[in-house]
Amino acid sequence: MADLDDIRDGDNFGLNTPADTSAFYLKGMRNASWGIKNRMSRIFNKDSGRTVMLAFDHGFLMGPTSGLERIDLNIAPLAEEADCLMGCRGMIRSSIPAENSKPICLRTDTGTTILTEMNHNVLISEEDAIRLNVSCMAAMLSVGDADTEATTIANFSRLVDIGQKYDIPVMGVTAVGKDMARDSRYFGLASRVCAENGASIVKTYYTEGFENVVAACPVPIVIAGGKKLPELDALDLCYKAINCGASGVDMGRNVFQSAKPLAMMKAVKGVVHDGLTPAEGFQMFNDL
Ligand code: 5RP
């Protein structure tokens, strides 16, 4: 029992400083729980409100694709520069040191490598996500694809239920339906469907008219980089997305397939967090 003989009355109640009731700094999160907000604030930088996530979840589908042959050699050394690491559980356990202090966004739906069936993936158990101490769980939502939409929405809803139960944000990864045009109409639909189904973050692709995609999505959007581009073009993609209101990137191939992945990470961060133009970012890339 605590000592009772020297109880001091409080006298520092800050009576002239009202409690902070301002909204949380991230879009759409005002009414989220403390746990969701806390995890979101591990992922999104509090000064810029943005994030540079490093995606290396490709292997479950593509195998040891270029740049991901050895996660321990190619990805782990980049972790210090990333705001968040996005990968699958096997690679995180085997190849990312447990001392890692960067938040993890766990790709929770993996499965067949057969491209046409990629979206019939299965969700891992919530126990395993918790064991990995994840800050976010990601799953794909295949909107507009008659064969896979229902399965992925069911998967996704289950994941959001799990996320709500344990206060873990869920990131919806928009897949491109095989008959859908890769335009702002499609990505606007897919992003909105993710948000409507409870995503706290949406990952999609930059396209012309992206400002409408961002405006109609009530939670932060991050963009995938897509296939490898020349570095200046990839930085231009980041810049345009940020200018349209994106909250960052979840980029893979344009970082780990670069001739200088660490320099590319730093240049992307310059554009996303520090307002560098693509040319300034490219200069930084070249100088490093
Ligand atoms: C699927 C994905 C990928 O798994 C990956 O994370 C994409 O990263 P990038 O396109 O930047 O290589 O999101 O849509």
Side-chain angles (χ1 to χ4, degrees):
M1 190 172 165
D3 293 337
L4 292 176
D5 57 354
D6 185 24
I7 296 175
R8 299 181 187 190
D9 287 338
D11 60 359
N12 187 14
F13 294 99
L15 296 182
N16 294 323
T17 311
D20 183 7
T21 53
S22 59
F24 189 64
Y25 72 109
L26 294 172
K27 187 177 173 181
M29 291 295 121
R30 179 196 288 252
N31 298 321
S33 62
W34 190 94
I36 297 256
K37 284 176 175 153
N38 179 263
R39 290 183 172 92
M40 291 290 278
S41 64
R42 297 200 66 216
I43 298 169
F44 290 87
N45 180 297
K46 280 173 245 11
D47 294 326
S48 67
R50 298 181 188 139
T51 188
V52 175
M53 303 167 78
L54 177 60
F56 54 97
D57 57 328
H58 311 56
F60 86 86
L61 192 63
M62 299 177 181
T65 190
S66 171
L68 291 186
E69 299 89 340
R70 288 280 302 270
I71 304 285
D72 57 335
L73 299 183
N74 305 339
I75 296 296
L78 303 177
E80 248 340 283
E81 289 301 325
D83 295 317
C84 180
L85 303 177
M86 184 211 188
C88 301
R89 60 179 168 175
M91 289 298 134
I92 289 166
R93 280 210 170 88
S94 61
S95 310
I96 301 294
E99 303 92 299
N100 165 67
S101 59
K102 295 292 172 150
I104 299 284
C105 174
L106 181 68
R107 181 77 198 243
T108 57
D109 62 326
T110 56
T112 170
T113 61
I114 301 165
L115 272 175
T116 50
E117 292 180 8
M118 66 182 282
N119 298 314
H120 291 296
N121 292 345
V122 292
L123 283 186
I124 69 164
S125 70
E126 53 261 52
E127 288 87 351
D128 215 25
I130 292 165
R131 275 192 287 269
L132 282 165
N133 199 22
V134 304
S135 295
C136 183
M137 301 184 291
M140 188 170 273
L141 231 161
S142 179
V143 174
D145 185 277
D147 294 336
T148 55
E149 184 180 284
T151 318
T152 56
I153 289 186
N155 246 0
F156 193 78
S157 295
R158 214 195 110 213
L159 191 63
V160 171
D161 286 343
I162 294 168
Q164 290 298 330
K165 189 166 171 192
Y166 299 104
D167 280 356
I168 303 175
V170 169
M171 180 164 86
V173 179
T174 62
V176 187
K178 54 182 180 294
D179 300 325
M180 308 295 281
R182 296 171 69 103
D183 59 16
S184 61
R185 192 154 186 273
Y186 174 73
F187 290 123
L189 167 72
S191 298
R192 181 60 173 263
V193 170
C194 287
E196 298 264 356
N197 279 283
S200 293
I201 310 172
V202 173
K203 175 174 180 174
T204 191
Y205 292 86
Y206 174 80
T207 181
E208 277 302 304
F210 197 61
E211 59 276 18
N212 293 341
V213 177
V214 175
C217 179
V219 295
I221 285 197
V222 296
I223 60 154
K227 65 175 197 254
K228 174 75 175 73
L229 301 167
E231 278 77 5
L232 180 56
D233 293 351
L235 294 169
D236 192 49
L237 188 73
C238 299
Y239 183 78
K240 285 184 186 147
I242 293 296
N243 268 357
C244 286
S247 299
V249 301
D250 181 20
M251 207 168 235
R253 287 162 288 180
N254 277 291
V255 171
F256 61 69
Q257 290 180 351
S258 168
K260 296 195 290 179
L262 197 57
M264 189 57 181
M265 275 295 299
K266 290 182 177 174
V268 170
K269 281 174 76 180
V271 170
V272 170
H273 290 307
D274 304 326
L276 298 191
T277 62
E280 289 166 338
F282 191 52
Q283 186 66 51
M284 178 191 244
F285 171 81
N286 285 326
D287 290 346
L288 286 167

